């Protein structure tokens, strides 16, 4: 692979035919051998995520590489629709059919082998007739995959199973036809620990049949569990409406598939219906249930001008909505892409497991051959040596290693999406465990961010309405929440506002511009002092009084003289005190970070239970504050929502963006909280830590299982039947352990 490649394009390709982690590892190596390609293949999701340089490699080259590795690749547009390449439900049904058939045929053989009272003359030949279809029909998927692997000069889990079961069946045939094992009176007692003195008359038909049955059963339960693991994301992506009632220019309605909806179209949403796509309410009012997207159980009131999200449910009156985003641009589609990207990523610890699984099968085959040679050399007997070698082949399980991380990610990120928590990738999980400090932006995060004008204090004969009109006109040109509050209040009270010329914004300090021939300055008192315009004692007293109450005071001057102080207030979110308490309970030290003055910041901090406050920080300095904390040895989580929080979110060890905020903040973060409820931050950290602990538990099991049981099998202490059962159960255990994450509940809503 070219190390200097720039990956101008990315594709997600379905890969059909992978049966274990070794398969995924081989496909990944094959793709990465192409020049200008960087690929990651996920066994649990059966997807290849490929970054490539289109000037060097085309899509056909990628598909060809997958096929050259011995697997089938679906077209890129089928990546979100596995059924377009291979129906997972059909695969599960096929496995179930094979499991049932092999069990029906194998159980009588097992009973005959274990119970001498059932053994009749020539019972071994009946066993051969029952087991043969089990080995060759039920076990055909193993043999087919093993043959394909052999053609490509590789070996996988299927190779181990195929060689093991065929060897057991073949040995038994030789014993029956040539060694007299099928003669009348010849008994073959079931051996839970193989007798080293056993002769060549022993046959392994029950091993071939029951091992095939057990491993098929393991594959079946694993496939079912994997389907359940991805069910949360699938359910989320299927939430959208299928049809929409579009309102024509003449007021008539027509129902069309939601795919035909265009930006700017108006559509009606009646009570009980789903909102077809993201849009803005243009008429009507209602409560909208957004719980399926945000995890918040209480419906949100919507009025004209409010945004609504596709797939939310209208719980009240009729709404007329204008579409603002459709198709792949909707919030639901973006959530799906974020979750899918997280599920296809790999944690650093998983890369170690991948490297091991890449050489696992050849090593196991070598160990099995060494075991066979060793026991034959010690004179233990061919039957014992053969049975021990078969046990080594069958007990080994790279699948558990390959499934340990992706299945936990699949379930954890899917559950998070249901609760309005988006985890961007596996690397994020480790940061949630290590974080010891959480820095919280004030406006829009701890507080509602919905500022409102509460007072206007004037001096020098300045008329209140005149001060509000002039200041409102100036602030109308700014996007800051405080500016919007003043502009909205001025427009609401006084109607049309005059225009602004020569507008200039001073980041974190205020604004200035020309309004009706006057040079107007509005912002912090320090901005006015810089221009040689100190506040009068009366205005300064009003400023201090407002700040003592946790409010924000905006000083206004024009024509070189101070004219007024406008007081705006931001309300603390009702859930913020509880959220801070929960963050503390997770071992995090909360810090309030804001550009507001110290008095306002301290008042807000006192209300929510934060002891450490850093105030009067300019937007560009927030990332520096985070960096200083990191230099002190702290592991910092940052929670914010605004554009000015993006650098700090990116600088932090863990960035959490409130989803009601800006797209830039969300892009810079590691975790996104779709709802504006700060308690979701605690839920997100809890879920991430739980997912990480599940991954580590899976990996400990997978490594310990193979490290302990392969030597046990080599020592001859493990019957092949038990080896088959243990191997089948190891993968099922890993997937089932991951499925426990589906029961994770968000404390904020009980979901």
């Amino acid at each position: 692979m070219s190390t200097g490649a720039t990956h101008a394009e990315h594709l997600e390709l379905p890969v059909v035919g992978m049966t274990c982690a070794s398969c995924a590892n081989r496909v990944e190596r094959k793709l990465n051998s192409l020049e200008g390609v960087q690929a990651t293949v996920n066994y649990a999701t059966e997807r290849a995520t490929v970054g490539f340089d289109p000037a060097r490699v085309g899509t056909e080259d990628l598909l060809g590489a997958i096929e050259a590795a011995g697997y089938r690749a679906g077209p890129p547009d089928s990546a979100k629709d596995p059924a377009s390449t291979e129906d997972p439900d059909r695969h599960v049904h096929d496995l179930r059919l094979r499991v049932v058939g092999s069990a029906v045929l194998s159980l009588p053989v097992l009973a005959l082998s274990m119970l001498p009272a059932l053994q009749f003359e020539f019972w071994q030949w009946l066993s051969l007739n029952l087991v043969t279809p089990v080995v060759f029909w039920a076990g055909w998927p193993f043999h087919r995959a093993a043959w394909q692997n052999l053609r490509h000069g590789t070996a996988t889990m299927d190779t181990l199973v195929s060689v093991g079961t065929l060897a057991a069946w073949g040995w038994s045939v030789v014993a029956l036809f040539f060694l007299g094992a099928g003669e009348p009176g010849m008994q073959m007692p079931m051996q839970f620990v193989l007798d080293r003195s056993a002769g060549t008359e022993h046959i392994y038909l029950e091993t071939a049949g029951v091992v095939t049955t057990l491993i098929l059963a393991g594959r079946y339960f694993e496939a079912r569990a994997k389907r359940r693991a991805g069910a949360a994301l699938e359910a989320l992506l299927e939430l959208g409406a299928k049809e929409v009632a579009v309102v024509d220019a003449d007021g008539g309605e027509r129902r069309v598939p939601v795919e035909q909806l265009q930006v700017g179209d108006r559509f009606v949403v009646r009570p009980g219906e789903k909102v077809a796509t993201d849009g803005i309410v243009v008429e009507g009012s209602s409560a909208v249930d957004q719980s399926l997207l945000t995890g918040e159980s209480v419906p949100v009131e919507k009025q004209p001008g409010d945004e609504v999200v596709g797939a939310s449910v209208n719980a009240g009156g009729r709404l007329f909505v204008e579409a603002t985003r459709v198709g792949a641009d909707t919030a639901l589609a973006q959530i799906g892409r974020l979750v899918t990207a997280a599920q296809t990523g790999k944690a650093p610890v998983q890369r170690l497991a991948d490297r091991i699984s890449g050489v696992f099968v050849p090593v196991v085959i070598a160990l099995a051959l060494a075991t066979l040679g060793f026991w034959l050399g010690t004179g233990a007997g061919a039957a014992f040596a053969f049975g021990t070698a078969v046990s080594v082949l069958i007990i080994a399980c790279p699948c558990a290693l390959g499934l340990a991380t992706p299945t936990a990610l699949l379930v954890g990120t899917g559950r998070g999406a249901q609760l309005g928590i988006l985890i961007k990738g596996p690397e994020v999980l480790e940061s949630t465990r290590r974080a010891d400090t959480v820095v919280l932006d004030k406006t829009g995060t701890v507080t509602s961010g919905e500022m409102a004008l509460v007072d206007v204090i004037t001096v020098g004969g300045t008329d209140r309405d005149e001060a509000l009109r002039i200041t409102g006109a100036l602030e109308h040109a700014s996007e800051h929440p405080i500016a919007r509050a003043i502009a909205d209040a001025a427009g609401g009270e006084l109607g049309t506002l005059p225009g602004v010329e020569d507008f200039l914004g001073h980041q974190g300090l205020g604004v200035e511009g020309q309004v009706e021939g006057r040079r107007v300055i509005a912002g912090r008192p320090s901005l006015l002092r810089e221009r040689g315009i100190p506040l009068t004692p009366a205005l300064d007293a009003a400023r201090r009084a407002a700040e003592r109450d946790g409010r924000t005071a905006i000083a206004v001057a024009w024509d070189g003289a101070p004219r007024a102080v406008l007081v705006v207030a931001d309300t603390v979110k009702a859930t913020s005190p509880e959220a801070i308490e929960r963050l503390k309970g997770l071992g995090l030290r909360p810090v309030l970070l804001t550009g507001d003055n110290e008095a306002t910041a301290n008042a807000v901090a006192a209300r929510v239970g934060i002891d450490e406050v850093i105030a009067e920080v300019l937007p560009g300095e927030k990332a520096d504050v985070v960096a200083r904390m990191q230099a002190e040895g702290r592991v910092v989580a940052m929670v914010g929502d605004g554009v000015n929080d993006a650098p700090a979110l990116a600088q932090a060890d863990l960035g959490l963006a409130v989803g009601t905020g800006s797209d830039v903040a969300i892009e810079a973060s590691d975790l996104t909280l779709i709802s504006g409820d700060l308690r979701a931050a605690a839920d997100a950290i809890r879920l991430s830590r739980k997912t990480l602990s599940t991954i580590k538990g899976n990996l400990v099991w997978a490594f310990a299982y193979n490290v302990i049981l392969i030597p046990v099998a080599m020592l001859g202490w493990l019957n092949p039947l038990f080896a088959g059962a243990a191997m089948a159960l190891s993968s099922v255990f890993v997937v089932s352990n991951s499925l426990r994450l589906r029961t994770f509940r968000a404390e904020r809503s009980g979901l």
Side-chain angles (χ1 to χ4, degrees), residues 630-680:
Q630 291 170 325
E632 294 169 0
R634 300 198 209 181
V635 180
V636 181
M638 170 76 192
V639 187
D641 73 319
V643 172
N644 59 5
D645 296 323
L649 289 168
Q651 173 66 41
D653 299 283
L654 177 69
L656 296 91
V658 177
T660 52
S662 73
D663 291 341
V664 177
I666 293 171
E667 184 64 29
S669 68
D670 301 306
L671 291 166
T672 300
L673 317 175
I674 299 176
S675 73
D677 191 337
L678 187 57
R679 291 177 299 178

Side-chain angles (χ1 to χ4, degrees), residues 685-699:
I685 292 173
R686 283 178 51 239
L687 175 60
S688 297
R689 289 180 176 179
K690 182 71 173 174
T691 303
L692 179 64
S693 66
T694 301
I695 288 172
K696 291 187 173 181
N698 286 347
L699 286 169

Side-chain angles (χ1 to χ4, degrees), residues 25 42 88 243 251 289 388 408 419 481 514 530 600 680 701 708 721:
N25 189 273
N42 190 310
E243 287 189 336
D289 182 358
T388 303
L419 300 173
Q514 204 79 10
E530 285 181 6
T600 300
W701 162 262
I708 294 172
L721 295 185

Side-chain angles (χ1 to χ4, degrees), residues 183-204:
E183 295 178 1
M186 182 67 67
Q187 292 186 351
M188 186 190 67
M190 174 66 179
Q191 295 171 306
F192 290 92
V193 178
L194 292 174
D195 182 1
R196 296 191 182 190
S197 64
T200 58
E201 71 274 16
H202 289 289
I203 61 178
Y204 290 94

Side-chain angles (χ1 to χ4, degrees), residues 278 325 327-339 422 663:
D278 300 355
R325 289 184 291 191
D329 296 328
T330 64
L332 182 63
Q334 291 172 358
I335 290 169
R337 285 196 296 273
L338 282 171
V339 177
L422 303 184
D663 291 341

Side-chain angles (χ1 to χ4, degrees), residues 285-477:
S285 61
S286 178
V288 176
D289 182 358
Q290 301 179 154
S291 61
L292 293 174
L293 291 173
T294 66
E296 294 178 307
S297 57
V298 179
V300 180
E301 292 294 332
K302 299 292 182 181
Q303 306 287 340
D306 290 341
E307 293 184 353
V308 288
V309 181
S312 54
V313 179
N314 182 9
R318 186 174 63 169
L319 295 175
F320 288 88
V321 179
E322 181 177 316
T324 56
R325 289 184 291 191
V326 297
D329 296 328
T330 64
L332 182 63
Q334 291 172 358
I335 290 169
R337 285 196 296 273
L338 282 171
V339 177
T340 300
Q343 292 177 346
T344 56
K346 290 187 179 181
V349 69
Q350 179 63 25
R351 300 190 185 279
L352 171 63
D354 285 348
R355 286 196 296 271
I356 293 174
S357 65
V359 298
F360 188 93
V361 174
V363 168
V364 169
I365 292 175
L367 290 175
L369 291 174
T371 300
L372 177 64
F374 174 81
W375 287 117
L376 287 174
T378 60
F384 176 79
F386 175 79
T388 303
V390 169
S391 293
V392 173
L393 288 173
I394 293 173
I395 193 65
C397 186
C399 298
L401 288 172
L403 289 168
T405 296
T407 52
L409 272 177
L410 199 64
V411 182
T413 54
R415 180 57 179 155
Q418 289 180 320
L419 300 173
I421 300 167
L422 303 184
I423 303 172
K424 285 199 174 178
E427 298 84 359
V428 172
L429 304 177
E430 188 65 29
S431 298
T432 63
R433 182 188 68 82
R434 295 186 297 110
D436 53 34
T437 301
V438 57
V439 177
L440 302 115
D441 170 58
K442 180 180 76 70
T443 305
T445 303
V446 175
T447 65
S448 66
E450 297 176 0
M451 310 293 286
L453 181 70
V454 295
D455 201 2
V456 179
I457 302 100
T458 61
V459 293
T462 303
D463 181 70
R464 176 195 179 277
D465 288 352
E466 178 71 359
L468 179 58
R469 188 176 71 87
I470 296 296
T471 308
L474 177 64
E475 298 284 21
H476 191 269

